[in-house]
Amino acid sequence: MGLRGATATAAATLIGAGAVAVAAGRYAGDAALKPAPGHPPPGEPRIAVHDVDVGTVTLTRTPATLRPGTYGLAGRGLRAVVGPVVPDVSHPHHCVVRRLERVHHGTVAPGDHVWLTPQVHAGTPRDALGLDHTDVDVPGELGWLPAWFLPGARDTWVISAHGMGTTREHSMVLMPFLHGLRLPVLVPAYRGDAGAPRTAHGISHFGAREWRDLDAAVRYAVAHGARRVVLHGWSTGATMALLTALDSPESDRVAGVVLDSPLLDWPAALGALAAHRVPAPLIPLAVRAAEGRTGLAPDALLAAADPGRLSVPALVVHGTDDALAAPSRSRELAAARPELITLRTVRGAGHAASWNVDPQGYEEALRRFLVPLM
């Protein structure tokens, strides 16, 4: 082969490798940009069920199955709840035994492949908790947004936004607590959720566009009797809550925000997700692919969520074991406005799972934050 042929072959090889790398980057980016209902949350692997006994389930030993607290257990046609790890029980060294609290539907059987989620309840507030609610439709930017409304005696409403890898069912972990405070609660679906308008190409924007649906929920609340609102969000829902408090035309109605695991550094989050799908050298390609598809600059969310513009109190809750949204970002957020922002860290909690690890402590911190705002 002559020099010209060798050069052409090398160029073709490089082009082919580049195309493969770009395709791999795009594939990795889809883990976050196209969340799939009925699949594990991004970055959470499927876990094998090894045994089921009276009140217990034996799972493969992983960082997720060793975490403290109570979680939803999900799989194909399965929704259940598992409690803490059971100590002093004989089991294979590669397994862990947890309490099996209840099964919402389906069955848990050896050989199943499941995953843990901070979303504990399944169904509607009435079915899961016995709480009266009304199904309402919120007029959003892209169309009607289905929502649950739980009535309460007060004129300060709580509006809740779920995050990445969950649905509005996640909000039910706090509904009994909020109902006890007699606070009305509005829980909207937003673009990309089941029953809500789809986004272009089904792509998530990490809250950078979705916050407009939370803004629509604020307008709905004000139009239906809310004097003030408190926004509560997990993960990308927390990002949406912060952006709404800063940029909504109705921001003067926002009395406070609760930010659980706010996802503000989206390239870092995408890198963590991509690490589960592609080799480390391809992670920057996944971030660039996502940047091109979403139109988001790497620092877009950090710049938009400037704490210097915040004018209402905020409670920030973050788990120390959050691998998706760096706890350091929440510390920086709180340090920037210590007179307005209270930070609560929960040891051992993963992404959006602080309530699951310490529900009593979480609700007490939330009570202290909410009472002055009622």
Side-chain angles (χ1 to χ4, degrees), residues 138-226:
V138 173
E141 181 181 58
L142 301 182
W144 294 100
L145 307 168
W148 293 322
F149 174 65
L150 283 73
R154 303 186 187 277
D155 56 9
T156 296
W157 291 26
V158 175
I159 304 178
S160 179
H162 72 85
M164 186 176 292
T166 62
T167 71
R168 56 183 170 142
E169 291 171 311
H170 189 185
S171 66
M172 286 195 280
V173 296
L174 288 174
M175 283 183 184
F177 166 76
L178 297 172
H179 182 72
L181 294 179
R182 299 185 297 153
L183 289 164
V185 180
L186 181 66
V187 185
Y190 54 84
R191 62 189 70 187
D193 285 348
R198 286 185 55 79
T199 60
H201 310 296
I203 288 177
S204 164
H205 288 78
F206 298 94
R209 293 186 183 177
E210 292 84 354
W211 75 267
R212 297 168 190 163
D213 292 340
L214 194 57
D215 177 41
V218 173
R219 293 196 301 273
Y220 178 93
V222 170
H224 289 79

Side-chain angles (χ1 to χ4, degrees), residues 51-344:
D51 193 19
V52 182
D53 207 338
V54 178
T56 64
V57 59
T58 302
L59 305 167
T60 299
R61 186 185 185 93
T62 70
T65 57
L66 288 170
R67 287 177 188 145
T70 299
Y71 300 88
L73 187 72
R76 188 181 297 276
L78 167 67
R79 290 293 298 275
V81 179
V82 293
V85 173
V86 180
D88 304 323
V89 175
S90 177
H91 57 78
H93 67 88
H94 65 283
C95 294
V96 63
V97 179
R98 299 191 73 110
R99 297 192 183 282
L100 182 59
E101 303 286 358
R102 60 187 179 274
V103 177
H104 296 301
H105 58 254
T107 58
V108 187
D112 287 348
H113 284 83
V114 298
W115 61 92
L116 298 182
T117 168
Q119 185 170 299
V120 172
H121 300 290
T124 69
R126 185 175 296 107
D127 296 336
L129 303 169
L131 293 177
D132 262 347
H133 76 280
T134 303
D135 292 307
V136 301
D137 289 312
V138 173
E141 181 181 58
L142 301 182
W144 294 100
L145 307 168
W148 293 322
F149 174 65
L150 283 73
R154 303 186 187 277
D155 56 9
T156 296
W157 291 26
V158 175
I159 304 178
S160 179
H162 72 85
M164 186 176 292
T166 62
T167 71
R168 56 183 170 142
E169 291 171 311
H170 189 185
S171 66
M172 286 195 280
V173 296
L174 288 174
M175 283 183 184
F177 166 76
L178 297 172
H179 182 72
L181 294 179
R182 299 185 297 153
L183 289 164
V185 180
L186 181 66
V187 185
Y190 54 84
R191 62 189 70 187
D193 285 348
R198 286 185 55 79
T199 60
H201 310 296
I203 288 177
S204 164
H205 288 78
F206 298 94
R209 293 186 183 177
E210 292 84 354
W211 75 267
R212 297 168 190 163
D213 292 340
L214 194 57
D215 177 41
V218 173
R219 293 196 301 273
Y220 178 93
V222 170
H224 289 79
R227 185 172 58 89
R228 301 195 298 175
V229 300
V230 174
L231 305 177
H232 181 291
W234 291 267
S235 181
T236 49
T239 307
M240 291 163 56
L242 182 55
L243 295 177
T244 302
L246 296 177
D247 295 327
S248 169
E250 300 281 356
S251 60
D252 61 324
R253 298 288 193 147
V254 177
V257 291
V258 182
L259 312 175
D260 189 322
S261 309
L263 201 161
L264 300 174
D265 188 346
W266 74 263
L270 186 60
L273 296 171
H276 294 272
R277 290 192 163 201
V278 298
L282 296 183
I283 291 176
L285 290 171
V287 175
R288 289 194 203 106
E291 184 178 347
R293 296 172 74 189
T294 61
L296 287 174
D299 62 350
L301 293 178
L302 287 169
D306 176 10
R309 299 194 293 129
L310 191 66
S311 60
V312 297
L315 172 64
V316 180
V317 185
H318 217 125
T320 59
D321 290 6
D322 192 334
L324 193 58
S328 60
R329 293 298 186 187
S330 285
R331 289 195 295 269
E332 292 167 4
L333 195 67
R337 297 297 301 275
E339 78 283 9
L340 276 182
I341 303 176
T342 301
L343 175 64
R344 174 181 173 79

